[in-house]
């Protein structure tokens, strides 16, 4: 399909385990975002990439969270030593534009992470 | 500190009637506003947006109204259809920025 694809759709991790969440953005999209959505809340910004450059990681909750986009396309969000409070849906979004907040981003279906 | 608030967690409307979803924001620097729609197990999809230079934007059955003095925006759906049943998020940001602040969402149920 031509949309944003995220994998896995669901992930159950034991507390303390490391996880890696993958995002395949729409081909050619310059901007890529990661959001965290807790139960009953709206998405919260985690980090932003323009091509391979991570321009903003101000939303990452702790140094256990790490994101990369080495070739400017696929991105991976890694969470080390997962904690129960990391349980959430992680959304990836991409946009063809650079640094323009007035254009909508296209979201993937998300990865639901449950830490037990 | 919630900068974008959707105070109604849910709304139920009869098919064919108007649905009005509300959103308040606190940051007067916000100059761009969007509504996203989300079905279960899917990502949010863009619905409609409005810039702060306007007070109304219409797209088919969907109209967004912006009241800058009250820092309030609303989404009107007329007529409502059962397929509109979803969670609606408002989001705000600065036109010069990529970062969006989302509200907590309103779950709309349109009854046949």
């Amino acid at each position: 399909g031509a949309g944003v694809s995220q994998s896995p759709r669901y992930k159950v991790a034991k507390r303390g385990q490391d996880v890696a969440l993958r995002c395949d953005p729409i081909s050619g999209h310059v901007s890529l975002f990661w959001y965290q959505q807790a139960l009953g809340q709206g998405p919260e910004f985690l980090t932003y990439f323009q091509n391979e450059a991570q321009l903003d990681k101000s939303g990452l909750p702790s140094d256990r969270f790490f994101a990369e986009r080495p070739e400017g396309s696929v991105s991976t969000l890694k969470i080390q030593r997962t904690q129960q409070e990391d349980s959430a849906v992680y959304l990836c979004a991409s946009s063809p534009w650079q640094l323009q907040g007035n254009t909508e981003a296209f979201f993937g279906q998300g990865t639901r992470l449950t830490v037990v | 500190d919630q900068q974008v608030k959707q105070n109604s967690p849910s709304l139920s409307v009869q098919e064919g009637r108007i649905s009005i979803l509300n959103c308040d924001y606190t940051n007067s620097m916000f100059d761009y506003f969007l509504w996203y729609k989300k079905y279960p197990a899917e990502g949010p999809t863009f619905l409609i947006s409005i810039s702060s230079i306007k007070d109304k934007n219409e797209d088919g059955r969907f109209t967004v109204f912006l009241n800058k003095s009250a820092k309030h925006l609303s989404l009107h759906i007329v007529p409502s259809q059962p397929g509109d049943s979803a969670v609606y998020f408002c989001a705000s940001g600065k036109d010069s920025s990529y970062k969006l602040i989302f509200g907590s969402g309103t779950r709309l149920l349109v009854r046949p």
Side-chain angles (χ1 to χ4, degrees):
Chain A
V4 177
S5 179
Q6 292 186 244
S7 60
R9 290 293 307 274
Y10 303 92
K11 176 69 179 178
V12 178
K14 291 184 178 179
R15 191 170 54 182
Q17 186 179 352
D18 298 349
V19 298
L21 312 180
R22 177 187 169 105
C23 173
D24 284 83
I26 294 173
S27 178
H29 276 196
V30 170
S31 295
L32 185 144
F33 308 84
W34 283 97
Y35 285 84
Q36 181 189 57
Q37 184 178 11
L39 189 64
Q41 300 298 315
E44 288 196 12
F45 172 84
L46 292 178
T47 187
Y48 166 66
F49 289 86
Q50 185 183 119
N51 296 308
E52 69 278 4
Q54 188 176 22
L55 299 188
D56 187 340
K57 54 182 181 179
S58 62
L60 296 177
S62 76
D63 59 6
R64 296 186 294 104
F65 286 71
F66 172 76
E68 60 183 5
R69 195 187 184 195
E71 297 178 359
S73 55
V74 172
S75 177
T76 304
L77 176 67
K78 297 179 179 178
I79 309 173
Q80 296 177 325
R81 305 181 303 282
T82 52
Q83 303 295 316
Q84 283 191 317
E85 62 263 27
D86 300 335
S87 296
V89 175
Y90 290 85
L91 293 164
C92 175
S94 70
S95 168
W97 310 106
Q98 303 178 32
L99 290 179
Q100 291 190 21
N102 62 348
T103 53
E104 67 277 13
F106 297 84
F107 282 83
Q109 72 274 49
T111 293
R112 181 178 296 278
L113 172 65
T114 303
V115 181
V116 297
Chain B
D1 177 32
Q2 271 188 293
Q3 297 189 66
V4 178
K5 295 180 182 179
Q6 293 178 256
N7 291 317
S8 297
S10 64
L11 175 68
S12 180
V13 171
Q14 191 74 36
E15 180 180 6
R17 299 290 187 98
I18 183 172
S19 295
I20 300 176
L21 296 94
N22 294 303
C23 179
D24 297 294
Y25 62 96
T26 58
N27 191 335
S28 58
M29 299 297 290
F30 287 152
D31 52 16
Y32 204 77
F33 308 89
L34 306 92
W35 284 93
Y36 279 84
K37 176 179 179 178
K38 185 182 183 304
Y39 292 117
E42 294 185 12
T45 55
F46 170 76
L47 188 58
I48 192 169
S49 63
I50 188 167
S51 166
S52 61
I53 62 174
K54 294 185 174 182
D55 54 19
K56 176 183 175 181
N57 188 27
E58 191 172 352
D59 183 3
R61 296 185 297 112
F62 302 90
T63 303
V64 57
F65 294 92
L66 176 62
N67 182 333
K68 290 187 289 293
S69 61
K71 295 191 182 68
H72 177 83
L73 63 154
S74 60
L75 174 68
H76 292 210
I77 306 174
V78 183
S80 301
Q81 299 174 355
D84 297 329
S85 297
V87 177
Y88 290 78
F89 293 99
C90 71
S92 304
K94 301 176 192 177
D95 192 46
S96 58
S97 171
Y98 48 81
K99 193 179 293 188
L100 292 177
I101 308 297
F102 283 81
S104 56
T106 296
R107 182 179 301 277
L108 173 65
L109 173 65
V110 180
R111 308 184 308 273

